[in-house]
Amino acid sequence: MARLLLVVGLGCVLLAAASEPAAASDQVAALLAFKRDIYEDPFAMLSDWNSSDTVPCLWSGVSCSPPLDGRVVTLELSNSSLRGFLAAEIGSLSSLQKLILDHNTLMGSIPRAIGKLQNLTVLNLSTNQLMGPIPSEIGDMRKISTIPSRESVEWRYPP
């Protein structure tokens, strides 16, 4: 019986270890999709975001917890003069706690997938050129505690 438990126990450890790289590669893929939708990066903030990296924790604007495990908890690229769109893949950063992209030129709409960020506590998309309705899915984000006030958000509705 002890051998059976040991084999089962090792199988669980191996299964957990095998899923860690997959989680890290998902994080890398989501961030590279974000980078792909940015067409202007004058300060080269995303220049160290490389598809050959297996973990994004050392990339500019990215923080992981615990460090280097591949689970992104913060994406902060304020005042970076980024110009582009907010990729829907951002919603697959399931451990994300802070999304801070204020004072850039992000256009288009906020993707509905942002509602999947159930661990998000801070969302700052102020001073961008986002348009359209705020996705109702944001209302499902129970942990969120900081969203800029209406006075600090420049929101444009389509004509």
Side-chain angles (χ1 to χ4, degrees), residues 34 38-46 49 77-85 101 103-107 128:
F34 173 84
I38 301 298
Y39 60 83
E40 192 173 310
D41 179 12
F43 300 130
M45 295 299 296
L46 309 178
W49 291 28
L77 293 163
S78 298
N79 296 298
S80 298
S81 296
L82 299 175
R83 190 179 215 35
F85 301 91
L101 301 172
H103 291 88
N104 286 293
T105 309
L106 298 177
M107 297 171 275
N128 279 290

Side-chain angles (χ1 to χ4, degrees), residues 97-157:
Q97 297 170 10
K98 296 180 182 178
L99 180 59
I100 305 170
L101 301 172
D102 59 294
H103 291 88
N104 286 293
T105 309
L106 298 177
M107 297 171 275
S109 61
I110 297 175
R112 298 177 74 87
I114 206 163
K116 294 179 184 177
L117 301 175
Q118 294 300 309
N119 291 308
L120 205 65
T121 59
V122 176
L123 174 62
N124 190 345
L125 301 174
S126 65
T127 317
N128 279 290
Q129 294 181 2
L130 296 165
M131 298 175 65
I134 296 172
S136 60
E137 288 80 2
I138 288 179
D140 297 332
M141 300 162 73
R142 301 287 179 225
K143 294 183 180 180
I144 205 149
S145 62
T146 305
I147 297 179
S149 68
R150 185 176 289 170
E151 291 78 32
S152 66
V153 177
E154 294 177 20
W155 198 261
R156 298 176 188 215
Y157 291 93

